[in-house]
Amino acid sequence: MGRTFRLAVGQSPAELPTTRDRLDWLAETLPTVATHRADLLVLPELFATGYNIGDQIAERAEPADGPIAQAILGLASAHGLAIHYGFPEVDGNAIFNTAQCFGPDGTRLGIHRKLSIPPGFERKYFTPGDGYTLFTYRDVRIATLICYDAEFPETARHVSSIGAELILVPTALGEQWDWVAQRMIPTRAYENGVYLAYANSAGAENGLSFLGQSFIATPDGQELERAGAETEILYGTLELDKVSAAQSRLPYLRDREVLKLDNL
């Protein structure tokens, strides 16, 4: 067997009301995740504070190296795995919908600010980010896209074209958007020949019901694992040789360069 990577996807309970409650849930969950020999755990969009919390977004926002980050990196170190999580990041006068990842040695592996803010309440609070994240952990090249980011084919294509083998997508997808989780986002893995992990919340938060249905999609169009509607941790062993095999079988990334789209 070639390169492998053990991934965990945390479909966490949305109803946890405070950051402390969320960090406590994570601390209670991590021993089990560690027994499954996970290299990395990816958690939902704005996991650390909650998503549908109105003006508390501004109250709970922190710098990227704030108390939440210190708690997360401590947990990563204690359990010997990387943790990828969402939080509202304050930087000067701006607040970003951000996800970052800490390795077990306390190193920040990557950080990504949500590129496109969707219609709705998010536009009241968040400033769009700029650029992409691509980092290498345990010999796997990993990109981050947050929720709405991944609904644009261009974003997944871009990070795949520069070498991503695994795309992590923390999300806060409502229950009315089942087609997105069941059809659209798995297609991003297939059309780029990469692994993709989609981490959603479970249950309801202040009147917003989340779909759940977190999943791990493979480069050849299969689902390695998929959650239901309840709180759950998914585990999957990624076989990274399947990325190059899929991209050789369907060389979209290469052949798109010769498309002649401008007939002027």
Side-chain angles (χ1 to χ4, degrees):
M1 182 180 292
R3 289 185 301 136
T4 62
F5 187 82
R6 187 73 171 157
L7 181 65
V9 178
Q11 185 164 286
S12 57
E15 67 270 13
L16 297 170
T18 69
T19 294
R20 182 71 266 162
D21 292 327
R22 289 166 175 270
L23 293 174
D24 286 347
W25 175 87
L26 180 58
E28 293 167 3
T29 302
L30 281 171
T32 300
V33 177
T35 64
H36 283 79
R37 305 184 310 282
D39 292 304
L40 184 149
L41 169 67
V42 56
L43 295 161
E45 181 178 7
L46 298 178
F47 161 79
T49 60
Y51 175 80
N52 191 38
I53 57 173
D55 290 343
Q56 291 182 69
I57 286 175
E59 296 168 13
R60 298 183 185 186
E62 293 186 359
D65 60 354
I68 293 172
Q70 299 307 308
I72 295 284
L73 69 85
L75 291 170
S77 177
H79 295 281
L81 75 165
I83 301 175
H84 186 285
Y85 70 100
F87 72 105
E89 177 199 0
V90 63
D91 186 359
N93 294 323
I95 298 175
F96 298 93
N97 185 333
T98 297
Q100 65 181 350
C101 185
F102 286 104
D105 62 354
T107 301
R108 179 187 288 113
L109 299 171
I111 185 167
H112 173 77
R113 292 169 170 173
K114 191 172 185 176
L115 298 170
S116 185
I117 309 304
F121 80 92
E122 283 191 55
R123 292 188 177 178
K124 177 180 178 180
Y125 301 102
F126 295 115
T127 297
D130 183 8
Y132 60 89
T133 294
L134 187 66
F135 63 91
T136 299
Y137 177 60
R138 298 192 176 171
D139 201 32
V140 180
R141 295 185 297 278
I142 302 171
T144 302
L145 298 172
I146 300 174
C147 196
Y148 196 48
D149 286 348
E151 295 178 25
F152 296 87
E154 296 86 350
T155 56
R157 174 111 320 157
H158 179 73
V159 296
S160 300
S161 70
I162 60 173
E165 300 169 287
L166 167 63
I167 301 175
L168 303 178
V169 185
T171 188
L173 193 71
E175 63 180 359
Q176 73 272 34
W177 299 107
D178 57 327
W179 192 88
V180 172
Q182 293 170 2
R183 297 289 184 268
M184 177 191 287
I185 303 302
T187 300
R188 298 287 173 265
Y190 180 76
E191 68 193 4
N192 291 292
V194 298
Y195 282 97
L196 187 148
Y198 198 64
N200 198 14
S201 294
E205 179 187 42
N206 300 322
L208 174 61
S209 295
F210 293 94
L211 180 69
Q213 293 198 33
S214 301
F215 64 84
I216 303 171
T218 68
D220 55 359
Q222 305 301 310
E223 285 185 1
L224 193 59
E225 295 288 342
R226 181 177 286 273
E230 304 302 321
T231 298
E232 186 175 352
I233 309 294
L234 303 178
Y235 300 96
T237 298
L238 313 188
E239 299 175 34
L240 278 306
D241 289 347
K242 290 187 175 181
V243 173
S244 57
Q247 292 176 352
S248 295
R249 177 173 175 265
L250 289 172
Y252 296 133
L253 298 179
R254 184 188 69 221
D255 289 351
R256 72 189 179 102
E257 301 296 338
V258 301
L259 294 174
K260 297 181 179 179
L261 302 177
D262 188 351
N263 60 1
L264 298 180

